[in-house]
Amino acid sequence: MSLAKRIIPCLDVDNGRVVKGVKFVDIRDAGDPVEIARRYDKEGADEITFLDITATHDNRNTMVHVVEQVASEVFIPLTVGGGIRTLDDIRRMLNAGADKVGINSAAVFNPEFVREAAERFGSQCIVVAIDAKKVSQPDEANRWEIFTHGGRKGTGIDAVAWAKKMVDYGAGEILLTSMDRDGTRIGFDLPLTRAISEAVSVPVIASGGVGNLDHLADGIIEGKADAVLAASIFHFAEFTIQQAKERMAERGIEVRL
Amino acid sequence: MSSVAVIDYGMGNLHSIAKALQHAEPECDVHVTSSADAIFNADRVVFPGVGAIRDCMQALNQTGLSEVITDVAKTKPFLGICLGMQALLIDNEENGHTQTLSIIPGHVIRFAESLQDNDGNILKIPHMGWNQVHQVQHPLWAYIPQDSRFYFVHSYYAKPDDTSVVAGTAEYPNAFACALAQNNIFAVQFHPEKSQAVGLQLLKNFLHWDGQL
C-alpha cells in the first residue's frame, strides 16, 4: 500500500475552447472543456490541468467560467495555469473550483510573488511551472537553464538551483517542462527530470515529449517524477488513460486503477 | 429532504465541496454559510478547510465560529475535512504550535523529513495524490471497497491520544490516522470532494447518517 503515481492530462484552452485538436471519435463537441474533462475523469485521470494559452484579460474571465463548470461535475483535482500574475488571479481561480494554480513567468520576473501566494493560499495550491532547456555542450556535465516566452528567451538561471529556490519560497509542487522535448514525442528529458526531482522535497510533475506509454513509465522510474503530464497522446485517442495506467502497472509502478 | 451547512470562514474554495455534496445527494439542501443561526438550524454540518492552521484558527476565533463548531460537534452529524479535521485536535506543530479546538484529544504533527519508500526514494512532502485508506468499520464507509484510494494533500497529520477514535489509516511510509470518528463526528484528512466516485459515496453516506454508530 502506498501513494499512487499520477497521470495528468493537460488541456490547452483558448477563449473557453480546447485547442490543439482533440480527436475523440465519440465526442459531440471536441472543443468543449467540460465534455473532455468528463471523459478524462471517466477514463481514470488522477487530476486535470488547464493551460490558458492566450491569457488575456477577457480570456481569463472565460477561463473562470470554464473552471466553475468543470468543477461542478468533475470531482478530481483541477489545476489552472497560464497568465497567473496576481493574488487576485489566484483567488478567482480557487473560488471557481480550481485546487491548484500554476505560476510560470510571473515567478521568474518576481520570485516574491510565489512567497506571497504560498503565504496567502497555502503551498498546497501553488505549483511553480519551470520551462527548462539544456545549455551544456555534449562534452560537458549536464546543465539546464530557465527559459521564458515559450522557450525563446533564456534567463541565465540554472534550472536545478531555481527549482530549489522556488520550493524555499513556498512552491508545493513543480511542473517541469523540457523545452527541448516539448512536442517532439521522443520522451521526457530524463536526466533533467531526475536532477530536479532529486534536488527538491516537493512532488515533481514531468512534462514535455511524451510519444508513447513507455515514456510515461520512464518518467517515473528513471526520471523519479511523482506524476506525469501529457497532452497529445491522450487527446488524439491514441491511448486511453486506462491503457497508460495498465502499462505503468506492468512496469511495477503503483497507480490508481 | 435534510439540510447541510458548509461552514464558510474565509479559508478558500468551498465551491467544490458544495457542488460535490449536491451531486452526491441532489435532494439535499446545501448552504455555504458563516451564520451561526444557519449552522445551528442545519441537520448536518461540514467543516472544511485548506491553507495554514494559524490563519484558520484566527478566522474561527475572530468570527466566533470556534464556539459554534464546538457546540454543534457535540450534537449533529459532523464532518471535518482536511484542515477541518486537524482543527478538531488539541494543537498543531504548524506555525510553531498552534492551539486548536480540543474536541478530539490528540496532536497534529509534521511528516518527518527524509523518509524513504521501499525503493530507497525520498518521500516528498506534501503527501500529495491518491493513497489507499484502510477502513475501520463505520457507517460512513458503506458501499466503499476496503483500501480504496482517496485524494490527499497535506504535510501534517493527526495523532489522536486514544487510538479507538481511528476510523481509517493510510501509509506514508508508516501508517497514520487519516479518518477519525468520535460519537457524531467523522473527520478525514483526505478530500472526499476530490476523490471521485468513492469520495461522493462517502459524502452521500454522511448525508444519510444519523450520527449513531
Side-chain angles (χ1 to χ4, degrees):
Chain A
M1 294 224 308
S2 69
L3 188 65
K5 300 297 180 184
R6 291 169 280 152
I7 296 189
I8 308 173
C10 177
L11 298 172
D12 286 355
V13 178
D14 182 12
N15 200 24
R17 304 282 296 166
V18 174
V19 293
K20 282 198 189 169
V22 172
K23 290 187 184 164
F24 292 132
V25 283
D26 54 346
I27 206 160
R28 269 183 296 130
D29 178 357
D32 177 8
V34 181
E35 196 165 350
I36 296 165
R38 213 187 283 136
R39 164 72 172 247
Y40 283 140
D41 173 48
K42 211 168 152 194
E43 283 184 6
D46 295 310
E47 300 184 22
I48 298 174
T49 290
F50 294 97
L51 192 60
D52 186 354
I53 58 165
T54 42
T56 58
H57 186 71
D58 287 351
N59 213 12
R60 190 137 350 98
N61 292 335
T62 315
M63 196 65 191
V64 168
H65 292 301
V66 167
V67 173
E68 257 169 19
Q69 281 177 292
V70 173
S72 303
E73 296 190 39
V74 173
F75 300 103
I76 58 175
L78 306 175
T79 302
V80 183
I84 302 287
R85 295 187 188 94
T86 65
L87 294 178
D88 194 52
D89 291 337
I90 300 176
R91 182 178 300 111
R92 291 181 65 201
M93 289 305 176
L94 297 180
N95 285 343
D99 299 279
K100 310 185 230 183
V101 292
I103 303 176
N104 191 342
S105 328
V108 179
F109 300 133
N110 176 20
E112 282 298 323
F113 176 51
V114 173
R115 197 195 296 275
E116 288 166 19
E119 274 172 14
R120 176 64 189 86
F121 302 105
S123 290
Q124 84 288 336
C125 67
I126 304 300
V127 183
V128 170
I130 295 180
D131 292 344
K133 218 169 178 172
K134 196 168 177 175
V135 290
S136 51
Q137 298 302 312
D139 56 339
E140 293 177 331
N142 279 329
R143 208 175 77 78
W144 300 270
E145 216 174 83
I146 302 301
F147 276 68
T148 60
H149 300 84
R152 294 191 306 276
K153 277 194 185 169
T155 60
I157 303 168
D158 178 75
V160 175
W162 177 250
K164 283 177 158 169
K165 180 173 171 177
M166 288 295 96
V167 173
D168 287 344
Y169 276 46
E173 194 171 32
I174 300 287
L175 167 57
L176 174 67
T177 303
S178 161
M179 300 312 286
D180 298 309
R181 294 301 177 91
D182 203 24
T184 62
R185 303 174 62 84
I186 59 170
F188 296 121
D189 181 339
L190 295 171
L192 167 68
T193 309
R194 187 167 185 146
I196 302 276
S197 191
E198 290 185 338
V200 299
S201 57
V202 303
V204 172
I205 306 167
S207 158
V210 174
N212 64 46
L213 300 182
D214 279 303
H215 289 156
L216 297 171
D218 294 341
I220 302 286
I221 295 169
E222 289 176 48
K224 304 278 179 195
D226 302 280
V228 285
L229 180 137
S232 55
I233 65 160
F234 298 130
H235 297 340
F236 299 142
E238 284 169 70
F239 303 103
T240 63
I241 288 166
Q242 182 68 22
Q243 286 172 318
K245 289 191 165 179
E246 284 164 6
R247 184 77 193 106
M248 285 165 76
E250 278 166 22
R251 298 219 10 215
I253 298 168
E254 189 134 359
V255 289
R256 177 177 71 108
L257 283 169
Chain B
M1 183 66 194
S2 64
S3 63
V4 59
V6 178
I7 302 177
D8 181 6
Y9 52 106
M11 289 295 284
N13 167 20
L14 302 179
H15 178 92
S16 298
I17 180 66
K19 291 290 179 184
L21 287 161
Q22 199 69 75
H23 203 273
E25 190 47 85
E27 303 281 297
C28 184
D29 221 348
V30 181
H31 301 280
V32 175
T33 180
S34 55
S35 141
D37 285 347
I39 296 167
F40 283 124
N41 287 333
D43 297 317
R44 293 181 178 73
V45 174
V46 174
F47 178 33
V50 293
I53 193 74
R54 186 182 47 202
D55 298 344
C56 161
M57 289 312 300
Q58 243 166 30
L60 290 175
N61 291 330
Q62 276 166 8
T63 53
L65 285 169
S66 298
E67 290 96 70
V68 177
I69 290 167
T70 305
D71 206 340
V72 294
K74 289 181 194 137
T75 52
K76 294 177 198 291
F78 185 97
L79 178 64
I81 299 174
C82 192
L83 220 53
M85 169 183 112
Q86 294 186 3
L88 300 178
L89 289 111
I90 295 169
D91 58 15
N92 192 312
E93 276 186 359
E94 194 179 4
N95 310 124
H97 280 277
T98 304
Q99 289 297 314
T100 46
L101 298 169
S102 303
I103 294 169
I104 298 175
H107 309 274
V108 177
I109 58 176
R110 191 177 161 89
F111 283 113
E113 303 286 338
S114 307
L115 291 170
Q116 293 184 354
D117 66 14
N118 293 334
D119 303 324
N121 296 315
I122 301 282
L123 290 173
K124 300 300 181 75
I125 299 172
H127 169 230
M128 184 188 288
W130 298 79
N131 207 341
Q132 286 177 288
V133 173
H134 195 75
Q135 306 163 6
V136 175
Q137 190 162 9
H138 190 280
L140 261 61
W141 298 123
Y143 310 109
I144 299 172
Q146 179 60 288
D147 299 324
S148 291
R149 288 183 187 275
F150 288 84
Y151 186 79
F152 288 83
V153 51
H154 62 123
S155 303
Y156 294 79
Y157 64 97
K159 222 176 161 203
D161 290 343
D162 176 0
T163 52
S164 70
V165 301
V166 177
T169 56
E171 293 178 4
Y172 197 66
N174 307 313
F176 68 93
C178 66
L180 304 176
Q182 178 176 289
N183 307 319
N184 53 302
I185 300 171
F186 197 81
V188 292
Q189 178 60 65
F190 53 80
H191 289 271
E193 76 281 15
K194 290 289 164 181
S195 296
Q196 224 213 12
V198 292
L200 293 172
Q201 182 65 52
L202 189 141
L203 294 176
K204 184 170 183 174
N205 294 342
F206 173 68
L207 294 173
H208 289 269
W209 185 40
D210 59 4
Q212 305 293 311
L213 293 179

